[in-house]
Amino acid sequence: MAVVQMEQLGAAFLTNGDHAEKVKSLLQRCSDVRFSQLALTIGWRKNDSASLMAGSAGGQAIALLSMCLMNLFKHSDAGMIIAGLSSRILSDSKNVSSASQLADVAKLLTGKLDVLGFGNLLAREVTKIHRVYAALGRDTPRDLLEPIDTESAVDLLHQVSRALCEDHKVCRFSGSRGIGHILGLMLMMFPRSTAVSVENTIIQDVDCPKIYCEITYDPHSELNLVHLETSIASLSPQIDLPIVVETTSKSVRGRMPYRYKWSGWLADHLELHFLNFGLECTQGILDACCNFLLHLPTIYKIRPTVTNTPKARECLKTFPLLSLLGPLPRARMYKTCEGVLRTAPTIAQTSFQEAFADLVRAVSNATRGVECCCQDEYKCNWNSGWKFSNSKEDAKKKDCVLDSIWRVIGSTLGAGLWSFFIDVGSNAVIWPLAFLSNLSLSMPSPCENDYYTHYTAEDLINRVFNIGNLDASNAEGVLARSSDSCTIYPTILQSLSIPSQQSVAFAFVEGRITYQRRYHRCLKAKPVRGRPKATTSLRITELKPSHIGVHEGKPLVTIREGFDCLEILCSLRFSGNLVKVDLRKAVLGYLGMRWTDSCPHPATKNMDPHKYRPLPTSVASPSARGRIAVAMTRANSMAQFFCCEDGHQAVFQKHCCLDCAAESVQGSSNVTIIVS
């Protein structure tokens, strides 16, 4: 019933423009990414509820309106707006669904249309307004992106609907508070019916305007005026309604819930934050961010998740994130920067300190004339980098524009760093709410042993999940997550095998996790008891690479449905025993695995059994307590993956003999050398 009601409501909104023309095909699309080792897919089901809406103009219109509302309001408020419009436009016999039911339908439709990139469009249009004010020599209003309350949104959309459906009617709204959001909605849904002016300067004209957006700034008024007028000049306006700003939502650091297409999303997100303070994010800032980003994968390190005691951390072998970016890391970083920031790093290479100085200089130039209002002992000092979040200090800085801008720069760089690990598919949609955590980087020179520049494999996977607002707060056992629009998962899940070259990547694709034609929010590894530590050696006569520790036959992978998630269990057979593998721990072990450097000796050389006291192990018990374990998995990439396990340091013996591999981990405990 809610779907039918939404379709009938959509008939009151006559959409037009390029975005409206794409709605039908986007709602009807069905696609899937199949896992070769798992009996599930990621994508869109054929003939799902959203695709049925594509069959009518009303269904397409309400789908587009739902996407806009879900970008501008939280879930419950979007439902209240749709319910309010239903009560005003539909008859009582057709208005039968609750606000929560309507919100659930809107959320479903939004998942398929987020690819239109409301946030990208909003950034372009508000930037255009900013530049018009600059050309006029006037200050840009700082309230363009203020939120509006639900009642005002209902009033506005009701009048727009009447203007579009009734002859000789036009809707005119003027002011500045929150008008950036209103303009974004109008240009997404009705661009061929909307005329736009800034302080009486026309910036968009159409042949037969039904909607007039007049952006004017009056410091003495807190209202936007909405009029429903006729096209006959002799008649006076019939309706004069205020749009009231929801003051409880106003915040210097307010989060922006807009969705973005992947292309240029980080530049647009940064642009909107600057515009929210009446400032412009210059090309110099984007270039400086791009150049600085190239240094971060070298500065930040990955370490195994063994223990958090300082003594144990001293023994762990950390390595830079750069080594996880594949055989051509620089090319990957260049491509990512061009994709998310719309700019490429400069050809001339700069040092880390020089790149940071350029960034500070670019931001200082863009914020010239803005004063720091922090208390004396907490004055902004950008030259010291980004400190770890401190709630007491945050409270002293909460109203400072300069501090807020610097935090936005830090969170942008953090998002850019984790974007290096993403292989993005077509129609990927970003909803950057959860990733807004600052970098923790002490300048001018970060300490080599700085704990906050060391990440565990779990930190890595959670931060990548957060890029698309895929909440990692309840991440226990999670292998893949779906939002309303897209899914992120580590690419190793497709093969469950170690690749030929060191590389860590996450696929970010459109659609949701699908199993037996049902959508699910996440894929979790079924928790199992950890495999025991090996205490006895495999029966071998020589300590050289072999396949004696490989599992028998094919692994048994089973899936069962839980509440809004799937649980996956992997079982192996070895020496007559059934071995259960926690795939989440295996993935984490792989993400934190270090690959050996090449050595001049043959890889098949016998290992010295007395010098290193190695213990040959298998997939059943890959690690050993207090000794260096050597997992005998030669020439079996799947068994090599199954020997990865969170909780000890894995070292992959590649182009290296076992003696040199053991030498590289001397002094470390909980180490497993995995034979290639």
Side-chain angles (χ1 to χ4, degrees):
M1 294 300 292
V3 173
V4 174
Q5 179 178 328
M6 294 270 282
E7 185 177 16
Q8 293 169 338
L9 177 62
F13 294 92
L14 306 180
T15 59
N16 55 60
D18 294 340
H19 293 102
E21 292 171 357
K22 297 176 182 177
V23 168
K24 182 176 181 179
S25 60
L26 290 176
L27 289 176
Q28 289 180 328
R29 75 188 191 276
C30 57
S31 61
D32 60 67
V33 175
R34 296 186 178 274
F35 287 75
S36 59
Q37 300 296 331
L38 311 178
L40 55 84
T41 62
I42 293 174
W44 302 110
R45 297 195 313 258
K46 190 175 183 179
N47 297 325
D48 60 2
S49 298
S51 65
L52 298 179
M53 282 292 204
S56 66
Q60 296 172 36
I62 199 63
L64 192 57
L65 176 61
S66 296
M67 186 272 292
C68 293
L69 293 178
M70 294 296 283
N71 269 269
L72 294 173
F73 300 92
K74 59 185 181 182
H75 180 264
S76 58
D77 287 346
M80 292 300 296
I81 292 170
I82 297 172
L85 287 172
S86 297
S87 65
R88 296 193 186 194
I89 295 175
L90 301 179
S91 63
D92 290 342
S93 61
K94 296 178 179 178
N95 183 21
V96 295
S97 300
S98 66
S100 63
Q101 291 171 327
L102 297 173
D104 289 341
V105 176
K107 184 178 180 182
L108 180 68
L109 297 173
T110 298
K112 277 197 166 181
L113 295 189
D114 271 340
V115 68
L116 292 173
F118 183 88
N120 305 86
L121 178 142
L122 186 64
R124 289 195 301 271
E125 297 304 325
V126 178
T127 299
K128 187 185 299 182
I129 296 171
H130 189 283
R131 289 173 180 169
V132 172
Y133 271 103
L136 295 173
R138 304 179 62 171
D139 292 335
T140 305
R142 291 182 54 181
D143 54 5
L144 296 174
L145 295 174
E146 291 285 356
I148 58 176
D149 69 342
T150 55
E151 286 300 319
S152 299
V154 172
D155 292 336
L156 170 67
L157 290 171
H158 183 214
Q159 305 319 316
V160 168
S161 170
R162 290 188 58 188
L164 293 169
C165 295
E166 298 178 22
D167 293 336
H168 309 298
K169 296 292 184 184
V170 296
C171 180
R172 186 187 308 274
F173 52 92
S174 59
S176 65
R177 297 182 73 89
I179 209 161
H181 291 147
I182 299 171
L183 178 62
L185 190 152
M186 297 301 141
L187 294 183
M188 177 65 76
M189 296 188 67
F190 322 109
R192 296 173 187 168
S193 302
T194 303
V196 185
S197 65
V198 177
E199 302 296 348
N200 298 321
T201 299
I202 298 174
I203 64 172
Q204 175 169 308
D205 199 7
V206 293
D207 292 337
C208 299
K210 300 286 284 182
I211 302 166
Y212 290 88
C213 177
E214 301 173 346
I215 303 171
T216 58
Y217 178 58
D218 182 358
H220 304 294
S221 174
E222 293 194 359
L223 300 178
N224 291 340
L225 299 180
V226 180
H227 301 267
L228 184 67
E229 306 172 351
T230 68
S231 57
I232 302 174
S234 60
L235 294 182
S236 60
Q238 296 179 345
I239 295 178
D240 187 2
L241 299 169
I243 293 182
V244 183
V245 175
E246 196 172 26
T247 55
T248 56
S249 299
K250 183 178 179 181
S251 171
V252 171
R253 292 182 189 164
R255 289 186 172 185
M256 298 183 174
Y258 323 121
R259 279 80 155 178
Y260 304 87
K261 294 183 293 185
W262 178 265
S263 178
W265 78 271
L266 208 50
D268 290 336
H269 185 70
L270 193 59
E271 187 93 55
L272 284 174
H273 273 284
F274 270 75
L275 291 169
N276 196 34
F277 300 116
L279 302 170
E280 182 177 2
C281 179
T282 64
Q283 185 62 39
I285 292 177
L286 296 180
D287 291 340
C289 285
C290 196
N291 291 332
F292 188 67
L293 263 177
L294 292 186
H295 294 278
L296 294 185
T298 304
I299 297 299
Y300 285 91
K301 308 275 194 307
I302 192 80
R303 62 181 176 84
T305 312
V306 178
T307 178
N308 287 325
T309 63
K311 182 178 180 181
R313 284 202 302 269
E314 290 176 2
C315 297
L316 298 179
K317 304 294 184 180
T318 62
F319 51 96
L321 292 176
L322 185 71
S323 62
L324 302 180
L325 294 178
L328 299 172
R330 204 158 194 83
R332 185 182 185 89
M333 292 190 290
Y334 271 59
K335 182 180 178 180
T336 300
C337 287
E338 291 176 343
V340 301
L341 288 169
R342 296 200 191 95
T343 186
T346 56
I347 297 176
Q349 298 300 319
T350 59
S351 69
F352 176 64
Q353 285 73 19
E354 289 172 336
F356 179 74
D358 290 343
L359 176 62
V360 172
R361 191 179 305 112
V363 179
S364 298
N365 291 337
T367 56
R368 187 172 293 138
V370 181
E371 298 292 334
C372 174
C373 62
C374 301
Q375 295 183 14
D376 291 340
E377 65 271 30
Y378 297 107
K379 286 291 185 183
C380 293
N381 179 17
W382 295 348
N383 291 319
S384 62
W386 296 268
K387 296 181 180 178
F388 191 69
S389 181
N390 182 305
S391 57
K392 180 180 178 181
E393 185 172 337
D394 289 350
K396 304 290 185 182
K397 290 176 166 285
K398 64 180 180 180
D399 295 322
C400 179
V401 171
L402 293 182
D403 178 66
S404 298
I405 288 292
W406 191 239
R407 287 172 180 266
V408 168
I409 294 293
S411 63
T412 298
L413 293 170
L417 172 62
W418 304 117
S419 294
F420 288 148
F421 292 93
I422 292 178
D423 288 338
V424 64
S426 60
N427 298 333
V429 175
I430 296 292
W431 185 12
L433 284 179
F435 84 85
L436 290 177
S437 57
N438 245 336
L439 284 176
S440 298
L441 192 63
S442 299
M443 294 299 294
S445 180
C447 176
E448 176 68 23
N449 295 319
D450 186 352
Y451 177 67
Y452 296 116
T453 61
H454 291 176
Y455 288 106
T456 64
E458 190 153 6
D459 294 330
L460 171 59
I461 194 171
N462 288 345
R463 280 164 171 76
V464 172
F465 280 166
N466 282 350
I467 288 290
N469 190 34
L470 303 169
D471 182 23
S473 58
N474 184 22
E476 185 176 356
V478 172
L479 291 166
R481 279 191 181 274
S482 291
S483 66
D484 297 333
S485 310
C486 296
T487 299
I488 291 182
Y489 61 90
T491 55
I492 197 169
L493 280 184
Q494 292 180 301
S495 63
L496 300 181
S497 301
I498 300 291
S500 59
Q501 292 180 306
Q502 185 175 18
S503 176
V504 169
F506 293 78
F508 187 27
V509 297
E510 70 162 327
R512 296 174 60 180
I513 299 170
T514 309
Y515 179 69
Q516 295 185 347
R517 298 184 58 79
R518 288 186 288 273
Y519 290 140
H520 295 272
R521 283 288 177 190
C522 67
L523 174 68
K524 289 186 174 183
K526 181 176 175 58
V528 297
R529 182 178 298 176
R531 285 173 281 181
K533 302 283 186 182
T535 55
T536 58
S537 172
L538 295 177
R539 295 180 179 178
I540 57 177
T541 57
E542 294 180 306
L543 265 173
K544 64 179 183 179
S546 74
H547 60 273
I548 193 173
V550 172
H551 57 279
E552 302 158 4
K554 293 183 178 180
L556 174 65
V557 180
T558 58
I559 291 179
R560 71 177 183 182
E561 292 181 279
F563 181 75
D564 211 22
C565 75
L566 295 172
E567 280 193 343
I568 185 169
L569 176 63
C570 181
S571 302
L572 312 173
R573 289 184 177 274
F574 182 79
S575 189
N577 295 316
L578 191 65
V579 180
K580 295 181 179 179
V581 178
D582 187 323
L583 284 180
R584 164 82 176 194
K585 290 185 176 181
V587 169
L588 291 176
Y590 167 70
L591 297 182
M593 183 172 68
R594 186 169 63 84
W595 292 44
T596 59
D597 297 325
S598 60
C599 78
H601 313 120
T604 55
K605 174 188 172 185
N606 284 10
M607 189 178 187
D608 186 341
H610 305 292
K611 184 176 180 181
Y612 305 107
R613 296 185 61 247
L615 187 69
T617 61
S618 68
V619 292
S621 299
S623 61
R625 191 181 305 277
R627 294 175 64 180
I628 295 177
V630 181
M632 294 297 183
T633 55
R634 186 182 181 189
N636 191 310
S637 58
M638 187 174 286
Q640 292 157 11
F641 169 70
F642 290 136
C643 285
C644 299
E645 191 173 27
D646 193 37
H648 66 271
Q649 186 169 42
V651 176
F652 192 55
Q653 176 232 353
K654 186 75 171 179
H655 305 305
C656 176
C657 70
L658 288 176
D659 277 342
C660 290
E663 188 66 33
S664 69
V665 297
Q666 276 288 72
S668 300
S669 58
N670 295 314
V671 174
T672 300
I673 298 175
I674 299 175
V675 173
S676 64

